[in-house]
Amino acid sequence: MTERWDVRAVLLDMDGTLLDTERVYFDSLISALGAFGYTDDVETLCHAMVGLPGPDCEAMLHARYGEDFPLPAINDAFIARRDEILGAGLPLKRGAIELLDALQGSECPMAIVTSSSRRTADAHLTLAGIRDRFEHVLTRDDVTRGKPSPDLYLLAASTLGVRPEFCVAVEDSNHGVAAAYAAGTITIMVPDMVPPTDESRARCAAVVDDLGKVVEMLRTRGVLRSKFLRRPGEGRDP
């Protein structure tokens, strides 16, 4: 018999988990670097950035190419290419709407927990047509330390009034899994561009192929019900 989880909220990463943006960022950065003559093993470098906040990615670029690296010009080229690609639309990951519908139908509290900035998160969720589904969107602007630090997940749980151990976190990257695990959440990984490391697999309650499988798991574990009710006397956790 499958063990039931005592879950009172679901915390969702954005890029690569709900939104199919990581490939857009990846291709845009490679294009921007190539335009300035940086072509040596850039794919490996860009893969290492998946799931990290922007400032951490910038630090990696400076560490790789030196302090003379033309970051402002590269950023401009990256943004131009990114916006060109996104002009054609921002697709959702497979199963995203099914997951959001299931959570809302069960009245399960949820929040976005993203390494993106507030401005980017609002813009991309709006472009994807799902911004109005979220009352709570936690971004890198809300904490001093982004992922893989647990701070964003701890803040999200606190914002929802739920202890982290009663939250499911859904992530696509190894850095995101590290953050969710360190916060004490029940972590599910849906890998996007970068496969899970052995360490990430050990940290996760499950690694699944798509968000539809997340819905199946939440149903099996008793998280999704016709009405998401706390037991008498539970209330919200401080």
Side-chain angles (χ1 to χ4, degrees):
M1 183 173 179
T2 303
E3 177 189 359
R4 294 173 70 85
W5 289 342
D6 185 0
V7 171
R8 306 173 196 178
V10 174
L11 310 177
L12 301 165
D13 175 55
M14 185 181 76
D15 292 310
T17 299
L18 286 180
L19 309 184
D20 198 7
T21 46
E22 291 291 7
R23 172 57 65 177
V24 174
Y25 296 155
F26 184 85
D27 290 345
S28 299
L29 182 54
I30 287 179
S31 174
L33 291 169
F36 285 81
Y38 299 97
T39 58
D40 183 29
D41 200 26
V42 293
E43 291 198 5
T44 300
L45 176 64
C46 292
H47 270 298
M49 295 180 185
V50 173
L52 287 177
D56 290 357
C57 295
E58 292 173 1
M60 290 177 67
L61 289 167
H62 276 303
R64 171 74 174 270
Y65 298 115
E67 289 305 312
D68 293 333
F69 180 72
L71 183 60
I74 295 290
N75 270 335
D76 288 345
F78 167 80
I79 291 169
R81 179 57 181 154
R82 180 200 68 190
D83 290 349
E84 179 184 354
I85 296 172
L86 293 180
L90 204 169
L92 293 163
K93 297 292 289 185
R94 185 173 62 178
I97 294 299
E98 179 187 358
L99 174 59
L100 297 180
D101 284 349
L103 292 172
Q104 291 183 314
S106 296
E107 299 181 11
C108 179
M110 61 182 179
I112 290 288
V113 183
T114 177
S115 292
S116 291
S117 67
R118 168 75 51 188
R119 180 178 179 181
T120 297
D122 284 339
H124 286 185
L125 290 169
T126 299
L127 188 59
I130 59 172
R131 178 62 184 87
D132 60 353
R133 290 188 182 243
F134 296 98
E135 179 181 357
H136 302 289
V137 177
L138 288 304
T139 76
R140 75 177 189 218
D141 297 336
D142 297 313
V143 292
T144 301
R145 301 181 302 168
K147 301 174 187 178
S149 161
D151 294 11
L152 261 175
Y153 277 105
L154 293 173
L155 178 61
S158 176
T159 298
L160 293 176
V162 178
R163 294 204 301 269
E165 61 265 34
F166 297 124
C167 296
V168 164
V170 184
E171 274 283 355
D172 73 289
S173 72
N174 292 303
H175 294 302
V177 166
Y181 176 81
T185 70
I186 301 168
T187 307
I188 300 174
M189 186 178 189
V190 187
D192 183 30
M193 291 186 60
V194 180
T197 62
D198 290 342
E199 187 174 29
S200 286
R201 288 187 179 277
R203 288 169 167 171
C204 288
V207 178
V208 299
D209 295 336
D210 58 54
L211 295 175
K213 298 288 180 59
V214 174
V215 175
E216 292 177 14
M217 172 160 285
L218 294 181
R219 286 194 176 121
T220 300
R221 297 293 185 167
V223 177
L224 299 176
R225 302 188 286 278
S226 58
K227 194 171 184 181
F228 193 86
L229 297 175
R230 289 180 175 82
R231 291 187 290 273
E234 277 189 329
R236 285 196 165 194
D237 295 296

